[in-house]
Amino acid sequence: MHILVTNDDGVTAPGLLALAQAMREFGKVSIVAPDHDWSGGGHVKTLNRPLRVRRVKLADGSDALTSDGAPSDCVALALMGLLKDKVDLVVSGVNTAANLGHDVTYSGTVTAVMEGIIWGVPGVAVSLDGRSSSSADLDYSLAVKVAADVVRTVLANELPQGTFLNVNVPYVPTLEFKGIRLTRQGLRVYRDRLDKRTDPRGNDYYWIGGDRPTGVPHEGTDVGALFEGFASVTPLSLDLTAFHAMPLLEEWLWNGVADTANELIPVLAAMPVGEAALH
Ligand code: MN
């Protein structure tokens, strides 16, 4: 078993080291992570500049590779030949803040695992509901225990092709932890505010600030599980098709002709998943 460990908080983040140490239980661990914080960086493919890779040592003496690309670039580099050995699983984290609901499209932690899916490698993203922007003073022990439990379960079974897991762990003492719940994506409530300022040369600039997002703790969702003290495990796929909208859209007239949407369905179903179909 060869596990690629990455993150979006940067190669020096304590959550990355804690996760890498926990993954050694399952086999060989390779670490390829970005050289700075890419939180909120989304699914990136860097095409307009070269990517540089350096060898670094982590705090426990572990060897790691770091790149000036995004987390998804790091995974692409690793799977396209930077690592000589075939990778069986991508594990990303431990992120310092939860990635719930719509967060998954912003999250470098989650999109790193999405990149693995593009290359046909399953993965698990792990985030801690740390409620702090400082990663150094967080206790990662429960998060890595949950991560190990989830990876053990994934290895004992087989994730359906194109499926990856988004795991979120509440920031509670281990004794108060209630267990793992299988969930769906919930609803985040963003409280972003645009801060407009003026630089010393008189030019306006903008900073997206505001308060941390909250969420709607619906039963059965990732937000709801964390709210009740459970860890959430949400299976995700890269297919963002709004299947619930298909019946409605099938009734619309497209260029004056009905039922065009019906003809799209077999085309979508025939597309291969997780086999670098986009390349
Ligand atoms: Mn992050």
Side-chain angles (χ1 to χ4, degrees), residues 173-192:
T174 301
L175 286 176
E176 292 174 23
F177 177 56
K178 292 190 181 162
I180 290 172
R181 276 203 173 150
L182 192 61
T183 53
R184 60 188 161 87
Q185 270 181 271
L187 282 178
R188 265 302 204 192
V189 177
Y190 293 104
R191 299 187 294 166
D192 297 346

Side-chain angles (χ1 to χ4, degrees), residues 16 22 25 55 83 107 111 120 132-133 136 184 217 270:
L16 176 78
E25 170 189 343
R55 248 172 226 293
L83 300 181
S107 166
T111 53
S132 155
S133 53
R184 60 188 161 87

Side-chain angles (χ1 to χ4, degrees), residues 1-5 23 26-32 78-79 82-91 121-122 151 155:
M1 183 55 52
H2 182 200
I3 297 178
L4 168 63
V5 174
M23 290 302 107
F26 304 106
K28 177 180 168 169
V29 170
S30 296
I31 303 166
V32 185
L79 302 183
L82 181 66
L83 300 181
K84 294 291 169 260
D85 296 339
K86 178 180 167 289
V87 171
D88 301 299
L89 188 71
V90 176
V91 183
V121 180
V151 167
L155 297 182

Side-chain angles (χ1 to χ4, degrees), residues 236-270:
L236 298 175
S237 76
L238 280 179
D239 184 347
L240 301 180
T241 308
F243 287 103
H244 63 278
M246 282 286 198
L248 174 68
L249 270 63
E250 277 169 9
E251 290 174 12
W252 294 5
L253 293 181
W254 300 89
N255 282 330
V257 184
D259 259 349
T260 309
N262 256 335
E263 289 162 24
L264 290 174
I265 294 171
V267 176
L268 289 169

Side-chain angles (χ1 to χ4, degrees), residues 126-206:
V126 186
S127 304
L128 183 60
D129 191 14
R131 289 165 204 190
S132 155
S133 53
S134 167
S135 62
D137 52 11
L138 289 176
D139 179 355
Y140 293 94
S141 55
L142 177 61
V144 298
K145 184 198 172 299
V146 171
D149 286 347
V150 169
V151 167
R152 197 175 298 111
T153 305
V154 164
L155 297 182
N157 296 278
E158 192 176 345
L159 279 171
Q161 197 184 20
T163 306
F164 59 101
L165 300 181
N166 182 33
V167 178
N168 284 278
V169 181
Y171 198 60
V172 295
T174 301
L175 286 176
E176 292 174 23
F177 177 56
K178 292 190 181 162
I180 290 172
R181 276 203 173 150
L182 192 61
T183 53
R184 60 188 161 87
Q185 270 181 271
L187 282 178
R188 265 302 204 192
V189 177
Y190 293 104
R191 299 187 294 166
D192 297 346
R193 273 193 312 274
L194 194 60
D195 204 338
K196 179 183 172 186
R197 301 185 191 185
T198 308
D199 73 18
R201 295 180 183 175
N203 300 312
D204 291 338
Y205 68 93
Y206 301 87

